[in-house]
Amino acid sequence: MRYLHIANARVINPQTQTDEITDVFVADGRIATLGRRPDAGEIEHTIDATGQWLMPGLIDLGGHIPEPGYNQKGSIASETEAAARGGFTHICSLPDTKPVADTSAVVKLILEKASKAGFSRVLPLGAMTQDLAGEQLASIYTLSEAGAVAMSNARRPVKNSYVLRRLMEYAATYDIPLFLNANDLSLSGGGCMHEGPVATRMGLPGIPETAETIALAQILLLVEQTGVRAHISQITCRRSVSMLQQALENGLRVTADTPLANLLYTHEAVTGYDSLYNVQPPLRSERDREALVQAVARGELAISSNHSPHEIAAKKAPFSDAEPGMSQYDAFLPQAMTLVSREELTVEQLVRALSLTPANVLGLSQSLTEGADFNAVLYDPRGEYTLTASEIASGGHNHPLLNRTVSGKVAQVFLEGCRIS
Amino acid sequence: MTDPNTVQLTEDGRLKHFLTTEGLSRELLTEILDTADSFISTQERAVKTVPLLRGKTVVNLFFENSTRTRSTFELAAKRLSADILNLDIARSATSKGETLMDTLWNLEAMYSDMFVVRHSDSGAAHFIAEQVTPNVAIINAGDGRHAHPTQAMLDMLTIRRHKGDIEGKIVAIVGDILHSRVARSQIHALRTLGAAEVRVIGPGTLLPSDIESMGAVPYYDMRAGLADCDVVIMLRLQKERMQNALLPSEGEFFKLYGLTKEKLAFAKPDAIVMHPGPINRGVEIESAVADGNQSVILNQVSYGIAVRMAVMAMAMSGQQTPVNSEEPA
């Protein structure tokens, strides 16, 4: 047996709640031993990881992958490469491609192209409804068989409570998990930022908190009634955090995530009409941001990317005309680490929300323990570089750190023992 | 880029674009009013033109139709001796495939010196100012719900000329504040120029959330809101508001917020009544008030030309002299 030896890394593993400087030995894509040399075999290669942090690979619960259909924004290869550079070993692709992922052909195409590209593994989310129109059920059993890990309607609305109820009942029959976005379009429609003092001053149509909380209440009540396995994607409001807490106290099995941008920025970022900060769901108030950070700290929320790459023309428009979303995959982990350097989260809390919590949502294991797949990120906390356009792998340069200094660097990323970045 | 004034001011604090009244100093706002005042006297002469913009090309770039505002800008440019080009780019033209950026590049190729921009998107003028080549001044003639700074300044001039000063005055703005770029620009200007109190009066559906954060005091009751006011500014009510469940009917709106002699009696006896026009008689204001002796609505229109001349002249002088002075297109 020949081993990869990672020496002197600070190994942070939320699953076992360990954080210690130790050595890791990898063979056949798995962690052979931790903290001790294997009894037999030789070392093929040693990585001196002194001063570096080794953590489980990040798992994204939702990013927009523009292929098929939106080649001007990027490809499966470009976005999975960007994801790997950001520290992700696995990413869930949202189904809002063109055509949408409502047939097994699209799901298989995504899986095939991603596997050929050889970067982060893509876990496709299938469309819950045909053409994501929110009216007729998509063939979710077939999509699930084809490899879709869960079903989602992206942020598009489901027509009414009746359709949502039947969708949940049908999915529950086959234990297919649903990723649901809480967005009442009758309240959010036409809005392009959080409704509040900044929107009022800037004269931009707002999206009230109730667009999320009313839809969330509807979802939670129907989840309770139908017993479906449900994950709430991209919550942004303080009130939603407490509604989820209450649902959990009542014994409802439901998980949730929040986009990284909502932990880093608030609606104040929109001042100056920088279309970069036109995102859906919108950036909310500081109170909301703080509540989300605290929920992450308590382990109640996973952090997702909501990665949305766009070509330059899509963002070069007056604020409300620009297409919403931020390119997030490149430099994702260093960005997220600013929550640690600001002392809002501990490293353990952050890594948990980026790896273990999403793994639990998907029923995967992502842990640095003996015998486990070696899915890991080696992170250099002292690394520093400028994220220039040529350094960005994603097709979307609408990245908040474009041409800015990034503190911390993803040094290496491994998926089942193979280096993908 | 967080401060709009890094876009609209030169490094030494002079106007190079005019995008918003927000954040402008009292000195600068006063300079605009003083300059406008000096142009009012030229308007009364037989020969009304001054040569300040001679040889310059001004493009009226209206993505939203507005004959009135466009005409006053046109007249202002002509009285400054500029060449003026009117482009009515209906919103449909840009949605036919040409992006706003393409439109701008085309216009820049004509070597214009100033764009007067009206657009239905909040922030559009700001966006254009950031995108155009240097030496092209942008004057915001209304962007979405955000700002209509020349209208606000002509209102300030009206108040100053009729009430002597803005300092210490109580001003009420009545009607559809939610959709009003005029109201937002007025609130900023009034606060900076020292108004004692700025009140906004309307139903909850037409007052934007957190309006207090802009320094305005909301009132739902018209009579309470008008008590002791020096200035009453009525806003135009758009018919669409009834379709969007914001209001039940014009009749009910008029009953509650329409300006009548009876309601106006709650304001100070010498209060003036203003309206940015065009007025809806019997919807937000009754004819007896619109045409009454407290109304200064028509004076506003004539001050509009002087204010637009002032900001055009100031913004042009805030721009650097172009390296090549090209023949106007």
Side-chain angles (χ1 to χ4, degrees):
Chain A
M1 195 76 89
R2 294 159 69 84
Y3 294 95
L4 168 69
H5 172 207
I6 297 175
N8 284 319
R10 175 182 172 189
V11 177
I12 300 156
N13 190 35
Q15 205 242 329
T16 49
Q17 295 182 347
T18 48
D19 180 352
E20 56 184 355
I21 293 172
T22 187
D23 287 15
V24 180
F25 296 86
V26 179
D28 288 338
R30 291 168 187 273
I31 297 176
T33 59
L34 202 65
R36 61 185 173 89
R37 254 185 114 87
D39 303 331
E42 56 181 291
I43 305 297
E44 187 178 11
H45 179 55
T46 296
I47 297 169
D48 179 9
T50 308
Q52 302 195 343
W53 302 353
L54 187 72
M55 54 191 84
L58 312 190
I59 300 175
D60 183 19
L61 292 173
H64 297 269
I65 304 300
E67 189 181 356
Y70 301 97
N71 298 351
Q72 74 278 20
K73 298 180 192 296
S75 63
I76 289 170
S78 68
E79 302 319 296
T80 51
E81 181 176 5
R85 288 189 188 187
F88 289 102
T89 51
H90 299 74
I91 56 173
C92 293
S93 61
L94 289 159
D96 54 350
T97 45
K98 193 166 73 183
V100 302
D102 63 355
T103 59
S104 53
V106 174
V107 170
K108 283 176 181 161
L109 174 100
I110 293 169
L111 286 169
E112 221 164 84
K113 288 217 171 189
S115 149
K116 203 176 284 174
F119 300 107
S120 306
R121 179 157 300 158
V122 174
L123 309 170
L125 298 176
M128 295 193 312
T129 60
Q130 291 177 30
D131 207 25
L132 295 176
E135 292 178 4
Q136 282 183 287
L137 308 198
S139 304
I140 63 175
Y141 182 83
T142 308
L143 293 175
S144 166
E145 268 191 331
V149 294
M151 305 300 145
S152 150
N153 222 44
R155 251 179 94 70
R156 316 239 181 118
V158 171
K159 189 182 173 195
N160 55 34
S161 304
Y162 173 83
V163 176
L164 189 57
R165 175 202 168 172
R166 294 305 183 202
L167 193 55
M168 288 186 184
E169 282 176 340
Y170 190 79
T173 313
Y174 309 103
D175 200 28
I176 296 170
L178 297 183
F179 280 28
L180 299 152
N181 289 74
N183 178 25
D184 183 333
L185 198 72
S186 70
L187 289 168
S188 65
C192 62
M193 71 171 295
H194 172 61
E195 182 174 301
V198 180
T200 289
R201 199 169 71 232
M202 301 184 70
L204 289 170
I207 300 174
E209 176 189 289
T210 45
E212 179 171 302
T213 50
I214 286 175
L216 181 59
Q218 177 203 36
I219 289 169
L220 292 174
L221 291 167
L222 288 173
V223 168
E224 187 181 335
Q225 182 186 338
T226 59
V228 72
R229 254 205 293 158
H231 172 77
I232 317 295
S233 294
Q234 305 178 346
I235 68 156
T236 63
C237 301
R238 178 174 184 266
R239 190 68 191 271
S240 303
V241 170
S242 56
M243 288 168 74
L244 280 166
Q245 271 180 324
Q246 205 179 6
L248 292 172
E249 277 168 28
N250 293 343
L252 207 62
R253 281 188 317 144
V254 63
T255 54
D257 69 72
T258 186
L260 177 64
N262 290 72
L263 300 173
L264 294 176
Y265 313 106
T266 68
H267 60 154
E268 296 285 348
V270 176
T271 309
Y273 293 106
D274 188 343
S275 66
L276 176 69
Y277 299 99
N278 180 342
V279 291
Q280 294 269 9
L283 302 172
R284 301 232 180 236
S285 71
E286 177 62 14
R287 257 163 61 98
D288 292 309
R289 193 194 69 82
E290 282 170 4
L292 293 170
V293 170
Q294 285 158 15
V296 170
R298 291 191 301 266
E300 292 163 13
L301 288 180
I303 301 172
S304 61
S305 76
N306 197 18
H307 173 71
S308 312
H310 288 300
E311 73 280 21
I312 288 170
K315 280 293 192 184
K316 221 177 181 70
F319 190 87
S320 61
D321 268 1
E323 290 185 44
M326 270 183 197
S327 185
Q328 287 274 279
Y329 280 155
D330 287 275
F332 187 89
L333 183 56
Q335 272 197 88
M337 281 288 180
T338 57
L339 291 163
V340 176
S341 56
R342 287 190 208 163
E343 298 186 351
E344 296 198 276
L345 292 176
T346 65
V347 180
E348 195 273 339
Q349 288 165 341
L350 180 72
V351 174
R352 168 185 294 270
L354 288 169
S355 60
L356 182 64
T357 311
N360 289 342
V361 170
L362 294 164
L364 304 173
S365 70
Q366 190 87 325
S367 175
L368 299 177
T369 41
E370 291 186 1
D373 286 341
F374 187 56
N375 299 332
V377 190
L378 195 57
Y379 176 75
D380 179 0
R382 289 163 311 183
E384 202 176 88
Y385 64 106
T386 305
L387 189 67
T388 58
S390 60
E391 291 262 348
I392 289 185
S394 167
H397 290 186
N398 51 317
H399 194 290
L401 297 183
L402 177 66
N403 293 326
R404 290 165 74 169
T405 304
V406 179
S407 303
K409 192 171 174 126
V410 172
Q412 303 195 23
V413 182
F414 300 90
L415 174 62
E416 292 170 2
C418 297
R419 194 167 164 197
I420 57 167
S421 187
Chain B
M1 190 83 56
T2 53
D3 183 358
N5 290 319
T6 55
V7 181
Q8 67 178 349
L9 297 182
T10 61
E11 278 174 22
D12 58 355
R14 289 177 307 136
L15 216 53
K16 63 175 176 177
H17 304 296
F18 191 44
L19 308 176
T20 172
T21 53
E22 182 180 1
L24 292 181
S25 68
R26 187 167 185 162
E27 291 67 34
L28 191 56
L29 294 183
T30 305
E31 187 191 339
I32 294 171
L33 297 179
D34 293 345
T35 311
D37 255 334
S38 73
F39 284 128
I40 287 178
S41 55
T42 69
Q43 300 307 297
E44 289 156 1
R45 296 197 306 242
V47 178
K48 298 182 175 63
T49 54
V50 290
L52 287 170
L53 261 60
R54 179 167 293 156
K56 302 289 184 190
T57 303
V58 175
V59 180
N60 261 339
L61 192 53
F62 277 52
F63 294 88
E64 218 182 48
N65 292 326
S66 163
T67 316
R68 282 165 168 257
T69 306
R70 203 200 58 201
S71 307
T72 59
F73 272 107
E74 187 175 347
L75 212 47
K78 284 180 172 162
R79 289 188 179 166
L80 291 167
S81 311
D83 294 303
I84 177 111
L85 176 67
N86 282 316
L87 283 177
D88 280 322
I89 306 168
R91 279 300 261 119
S92 58
T94 46
S95 64
K96 273 178 198 150
E98 191 182 57
T99 67
L100 180 54
M101 286 310 300
D102 291 324
T103 309
L104 290 179
W105 285 322
N106 272 295
L107 290 169
E108 278 179 20
M110 299 180 196
Y111 300 105
S112 325
D113 301 288
M114 178 178 287
F115 293 161
V116 176
V117 180
R118 169 164 292 192
H119 198 286
S120 57
D121 285 342
S122 299
H126 191 284
F127 169 78
I128 290 168
E130 284 185 314
Q131 300 298 330
V132 291
T133 50
N135 308 327
V136 179
I138 307 299
I139 308 292
N140 186 2
D143 64 323
R145 307 175 182 181
H146 171 236
H148 194 351
T150 59
Q151 175 69 45
M153 290 314 291
L154 79 86
D155 296 330
M156 298 308 112
L157 186 65
T158 308
I159 298 172
R160 201 172 78 163
R161 288 180 73 95
H162 289 268
K163 305 300 297 178
D165 198 356
I166 291 156
E167 177 84 43
K169 298 295 183 291
I170 300 177
V171 181
I173 309 171
V174 186
D176 183 1
I177 314 293
L178 178 67
H179 298 92
S180 178
R181 50 192 171 215
V182 175
R184 285 176 176 79
S185 287
Q186 287 168 337
I187 292 168
H188 292 305
L190 287 165
R191 300 275 306 157
T192 306
L193 290 167
E197 195 178 326
V198 182
R199 300 173 182 173
V200 288
I201 308 176
T205 48
L206 296 181
L207 298 184
S209 66
D210 304 281
I211 187 70
E212 301 90 330
S213 68
M214 287 179 69
V217 184
Y219 280 85
Y220 302 116
D221 181 277
M222 179 90 161
R223 290 171 184 85
L226 290 185
D228 300 322
C229 276
D230 299 285
V231 178
V232 183
I233 302 174
M234 301 303 298
L235 298 175
R236 180 178 168 79
L237 186 76
Q238 307 284 346
K239 304 242 185 232
E240 307 88 271
R241 307 306 168 224
M242 263 61 74
Q243 281 134 38
N244 290 331
L246 293 166
L247 283 179
S249 65
E250 286 181 357
E252 182 154 312
F253 181 79
F254 183 74
K255 187 164 133 189
L256 289 163
Y257 302 104
L259 189 61
T260 57
K261 287 204 153 213
E262 181 268 320
K263 288 190 196 115
L264 183 57
F266 285 81
K268 285 196 183 137
D270 61 346
I272 55 168
V273 174
M274 297 165 55
H275 191 300
I279 59 176
N280 286 317
R281 290 169 188 266
V283 178
E284 67 257 357
I285 190 165
E286 69 176 7
S287 288
V289 176
D291 308 328
N293 56 7
Q294 285 172 272
S295 166
V296 295
I297 296 171
L298 288 177
N299 303 67
Q300 288 176 266
V301 180
S302 49
Y303 300 150
I305 296 164
V307 162
R308 282 158 186 145
M309 287 171 76
V311 295
M312 287 168 122
M314 287 169 69
M316 195 61 89
S317 82
Q319 293 286 338
Q320 300 155 342
T321 313
V323 186
N324 312 309
S325 50
E326 303 282 347
E327 286 300 305

